[in-house]
Amino acid sequence: MVTQMDVARRAGVGRRTVSNVVTGFPYVSKDVRERVLRAIEELGYVPNRAAQQLRTGRSGVIALTVPEVGVGYFGELGNLVVEEAAARGLGTVVAQTRGSREREITEIERLLALQPDGVIMSPLGLTAEDLAGVSARTEVALIGEHFVGSPIRTIAIDNAAAAGDIVTHLVQSGREHIAFLGMSAASPNFNQLRRRGYLEALERHGIAPVAAVEARDFTSADGYDAGAVLAARLAEGAQLDAVFCVTDEVAIGAMRALHDAGLRVPDDVAVAGFDDIVEGRYANPRLTTVSPDKREIARQAVAAVLGEPADDAQIAYRLELRESTTGIVQPA
Amino acid sequence: MVTQMDVARRAGVGRRTVSNVVTGFPYVSKDVRERVLRAIEELGYVPNRAAQQLRTGRSGVIALTVPEVGVGYFGELGNLVVEEAAARGLGTVVAQTRGSREREITEIERLLALQPDGVIMSPLGLTAEDLAGVSARTEVALIGEHFVGSPIRTIAIDNAAAAGDIVTHLVQSGREHIAFLGMSAASPNFNQLRRRGYLEALERHGIAPVAAVEARDFTSADGYDAGAVLAARLAEGAQLDAVFCVTDEVAIGAMRALHDAGLRVPDDVAVAGFDDIVEGRYANPRLTTVSPDKREIARQAVAAVLGEPADDAQIAYRLELRESTTGIVQPA
DNA sequence: TTGAAAGCGCTAACAT
DNA sequence: ATGTTAGCGCTTTCAA
């Protein structure tokens, strides 16, 4: 193994100087820096992480848990977190929890054994207590899910407000019978917030909610099933001209079900989602949705676990009004 | 931070003794061991991995790359590798490559930066040269893919033999027009081996191969498309009574396409796959397939990257003869 | 701007 | 069966 000392000898400088070059310490003459760099190159020197970690107390690795990696919203977000961390010279180790509390706990234990500098989580089943246990052991930041009263840093948009905005858009484009398609009360917080935003917005506009259809979970399959129920009700004469879905994936499933039932989106029923996943941009019709600033979420989450002070409380979002509610086709 | 020294003081023993207890060194009296364990418990001592790594030269982490995590064959295999590693006290960091050479390279770089004790790969796009570069930097074991002439340890079943066996089963159950459904020549090695096994078996039985249908890739969607082509040919009068698919996922897609075209599996066309993924056991009809000993693959892969001597050259497999070729329903 | 040297927490060779 | 001790490779304080 090539050590710093080898490099120092080769470059004819002291060890300290090599360290300075490696860590980017500014006061090194250009000449010396180049000599060191060349020696590093020639020797194929790679800093030993264990030694760095032992010395600095930082492992240079952060951990990330998501329900599902490489799929949908959390997949996209996960990639951004990995990117953001890499840009800061940090490695990211990812665990997939499938949203069950049990798996979330096992996976967290696995990750913690690696002694990461911090962990970013998107908990779906974890309790506030579980979380407190974790945050006693390492820096924690939460993405998406809020735990009211918990001191843990959470990075999220204002879910209720965003849901309200999209419902308002539906109302303003003339829809009068708007259903919410999501989970019931006993569900992750974000689902409840989006549902509440929907209810409050309807109330503001003096419109009665349509009897809710419950999705079992957040997959497109669940959306399809719920969408089929909706279509059946419509066939029986129920009043319905818009559906606000708790996530894009659910919305995409619902659109397919409506289409299969011979209904046109948005002509017969407008459909809106939430999260702005890539699939929604290429769906047919293109899906109207709430687009959170994912890159900013990733940035702040990484900053948060590194203990940097929070800059903004809330993440920005904007409405992506597309074909599935407006009927207007725009380039992706 | 609680150190070994703190524990030693608390337990009234030397540091060496604490180390002995932690690392499972045998010669510690029961009495002392318990005292140390209690002190560890009371103090909440956790060994510092960086220090361990610096001392031993091992990071206690292995890396794993798979095309897709948590899905299908590689997902199942990945979980087994993680389990096997955990049983040996090793952490596993996983990367998802999506099968492209480019991603495979970036992901490997990311993993290598973590300085793992070894990496287990399922390369799909990597060249033998790429691989040589990696294996110069760390211990490498390959799963599934063979690189002829490469010195890198490969854990795999005899793909050609297994493919031959399943084709023989098809022949022996009276099928005479057997198609291969997989990728073309320019494809990962395992695809070519399975294809070759199919051709050689047919030749042994004196049966001519049916004009091949090419699948773009290894997903169920690809299988569906290819299956649809097959169904169309059949409708035009082509002779066909069995399909051997390069993977279970392709087979599942193909079965759906055949079913959609009004064909009965296995009455009209028998379908066999390869890999024995869980979905195949619950497919309708249940899928006949080659079942490699996945747990043994995982075990040997982990052993290989740890530099343990190879015990067997080849992994065992067996045929799972199920409904999709036999027509006989058996419990899953 | 660079050198010398201490020490991060741990394991294992050596000694007892 | 247990204690003593020398580093593993690195960063960083102190001094020059």
Side-chain angles (χ1 to χ4, degrees):
Chain A
M1 158 169 265
V2 184
T3 75
Q4 232 174 32
M5 197 58 212
D6 299 327
V7 176
R9 265 197 290 269
R10 174 81 166 218
V13 299
R15 233 170 70 193
R16 162 67 199 262
T17 306
V18 177
S19 179
N20 280 345
V21 171
V22 171
T23 55
F25 187 70
Y27 304 111
V28 182
S29 72
K30 205 171 160 156
D31 178 49
V32 171
R33 155 170 283 114
E34 264 164 28
R35 212 141 33 95
V36 171
L37 254 18
R38 187 145 28 83
I40 288 179
E41 174 76 16
E42 288 167 359
L43 263 30
Y45 166 73
V46 181
N48 180 316
R49 281 187 92 101
Q52 282 180 322
Q53 177 177 355
L54 184 56
R55 193 59 242 251
T56 62
R58 277 167 287 116
S59 63
V61 171
I62 63 172
L64 171 69
T65 78
V66 288
E68 203 86 24
V69 21
V71 172
Y73 177 68
F74 289 113
E76 293 180 20
L77 202 52
N79 286 337
L80 290 172
V81 168
V82 171
E83 250 179 48
E84 174 68 27
R88 290 164 174 260
L90 296 170
T92 308
V93 348
V94 187
Q96 172 163 280
T97 61
R98 301 189 171 288
S100 87
R101 168 163 180 267
E102 213 168 58
R103 285 248 348 200
E104 280 175 342
I105 290 175
T106 7
E107 290 301 320
I108 283 286
E109 283 308 325
R110 256 216 260 290
L111 293 176
L112 251 26
L114 268 31
Q115 303 188 190
D117 293 341
V119 12
I120 299 176
M121 306 177 55
S122 298
L124 250 31
L126 242 38
T127 67
E129 249 175 18
D130 296 331
L131 237 22
V134 177
S135 76
R137 296 207 269 158
T138 185
E139 212 66 45
V140 177
L142 259 32
I143 286 182
E145 269 301 275
H146 247 301
F147 282 82
V148 264
S150 160
I152 300 176
R153 262 284 268 292
T154 301
I155 323 294
I157 68 168
D158 185 336
N159 277 281
D165 288 355
I166 214 155
V167 168
T168 295
H169 155 66
L170 257 13
V171 171
Q172 285 173 349
S173 40
R175 309 290 169 166
E176 295 183 326
H177 307 282
I178 307 172
F180 174 74
L181 208 162
M183 286 178 75
S184 64
S187 62
N189 213 271
F190 77 86
N191 181 87
Q192 297 184 45
L193 291 172
R194 291 174 191 183
R195 180 203 192 89
R196 189 200 302 161
Y198 153 84
L199 290 171
E200 288 174 352
L202 283 188
E203 187 162 0
R204 270 200 306 282
H205 295 291
I207 294 183
V210 170
V213 176
E214 197 171 311
R216 245 186 331 280
D217 206 336
F218 305 107
T219 70
S220 289
D222 301 315
Y224 188 94
D225 294 345
V229 172
L230 233 33
R233 287 201 196 150
L234 211 50
E236 290 164 3
Q239 301 257 44
L240 177 80
D241 56 16
V243 188
F244 166 50
C245 301
V246 65
T247 68
D248 280 0
E249 306 197 58
V250 168
I252 288 171
M255 289 206 299
R256 207 166 305 159
L258 293 171
H259 180 262
D260 287 357
L263 294 159
R264 291 161 308 156
V265 177
D267 307 53
D268 298 320
V269 182
V271 176
F274 204 118
D275 286 342
D276 192 20
I277 67 175
V278 177
E279 288 91 318
R281 295 209 259 275
Y282 297 98
N284 187 10
R286 288 170 187 155
L287 184 62
T288 287
T289 190
V290 172
S291 181
D293 186 343
K294 296 200 196 83
R295 188 166 293 276
E296 181 62 12
I297 293 177
R299 206 188 59 67
Q300 287 200 28
V302 172
V305 292
L306 295 183
E308 294 174 13
D311 32 18
D312 313 297
Q314 208 95 274
I315 301 289
Y317 65 87
R318 62 169 203 285
L319 261 38
E320 286 289 345
L321 304 182
R322 305 201 189 105
E323 197 184 353
S324 72
T325 61
T326 64
I328 301 164
V329 183
Q330 264 158 342
Chain B
M1 158 170 263
V2 184
T3 75
Q4 231 174 34
M5 198 57 212
D6 298 328
V7 175
R9 264 198 290 268
R10 173 83 165 220
V13 300
R15 232 171 71 194
R16 164 66 200 262
T17 307
V18 178
S19 179
N20 280 346
V21 170
V22 171
T23 54
F25 188 70
Y27 304 113
V28 182
S29 73
K30 206 172 161 156
D31 178 49
V32 171
R33 158 170 279 116
E34 264 164 28
R35 217 147 21 105
V36 170
L37 255 18
R38 188 145 28 82
I40 287 178
E41 174 77 15
E42 289 167 356
L43 264 29
Y45 166 74
V46 181
N48 181 315
R49 281 188 93 100
Q52 282 180 323
Q53 178 178 353
L54 184 55
R55 191 59 242 246
T56 61
R58 278 167 287 115
S59 64
V61 171
I62 62 172
L64 171 70
T65 79
V66 289
E68 203 86 23
V69 20
V71 173
Y73 177 68
F74 289 114
E76 292 179 22
L77 202 52
N79 287 336
L80 289 173
V81 168
V82 170
E83 249 178 50
E84 173 68 25
R88 290 164 174 260
L90 296 171
T92 309
V93 346
V94 187
Q96 172 163 280
T97 61
R98 302 186 170 288
S100 86
R101 168 162 181 266
E102 212 169 59
R103 284 249 348 199
E104 280 174 342
I105 290 175
T106 9
E107 291 300 321
I108 284 284
E109 283 307 325
R110 256 215 260 290
L111 293 177
L112 251 28
L114 267 32
Q115 301 189 191
D117 292 342
V119 11
I120 299 176
M121 306 178 53
S122 298
L124 249 31
L126 242 38
T127 67
E129 250 176 17
D130 296 330
L131 236 23
V134 177
S135 78
R137 297 207 268 158
T138 186
E139 213 64 46
V140 177
L142 261 31
I143 287 183
E145 268 302 274
H146 245 301
F147 282 82
V148 264
S150 160
I152 301 176
R153 265 277 272 292
T154 301
I155 323 294
I157 67 169
D158 185 336
N159 277 283
D165 289 355
I166 214 155
V167 168
T168 296
H169 155 67
L170 257 12
V171 171
Q172 285 173 349
S173 41
R175 308 288 169 167
E176 297 184 324
H177 306 282
I178 306 173
F180 174 73
L181 207 162
M183 286 177 74
S184 63
S187 62
N189 214 270
F190 77 87
N191 182 87
Q192 297 184 46
L193 291 172
R194 291 175 191 181
R195 180 203 194 88
R196 188 197 307 159
Y198 152 85
L199 289 171
E200 288 173 354
L202 282 189
E203 185 160 3
R204 270 200 305 281
H205 294 291
I207 295 184
V210 170
V213 176
E214 196 171 314
R216 244 188 329 281
D217 205 338
F218 306 107
T219 71
S220 289
D222 300 316
Y224 188 95
D225 294 346
V229 171
L230 234 32
R233 287 201 196 150
L234 211 50
E236 291 164 2
Q239 300 257 46
L240 178 79
D241 56 14
V243 188
F244 166 50
C245 301
V246 65
T247 69
D248 281 0
E249 305 197 59
V250 169
I252 287 171
M255 289 206 299
R256 206 166 307 158
L258 294 171
H259 180 262
D260 288 358
L263 294 160
R264 291 162 308 157
V265 177
D267 306 53
D268 298 320
V269 182
V271 176
F274 204 116
D275 286 342
D276 192 20
I277 67 176
V278 178
E279 289 91 319
R281 294 209 260 276
Y282 297 98
N284 187 10
R286 288 173 187 151
L287 183 64
T288 286
T289 189
V290 172
S291 180
D293 187 344
K294 297 199 196 84
R295 188 166 294 275
E296 182 62 13
I297 293 177
R299 206 188 60 65
Q300 287 201 26
V302 172
V305 292
L306 296 183
E308 294 173 13
D311 31 19
D312 312 297
Q314 209 95 277
I315 301 288
Y317 66 86
R318 61 170 204 284
L319 260 38
E320 286 290 343
L321 305 181
R322 306 205 188 102
E323 197 185 353
S324 72
T325 59
T326 64
I328 301 164
V329 183
Q330 265 160 338

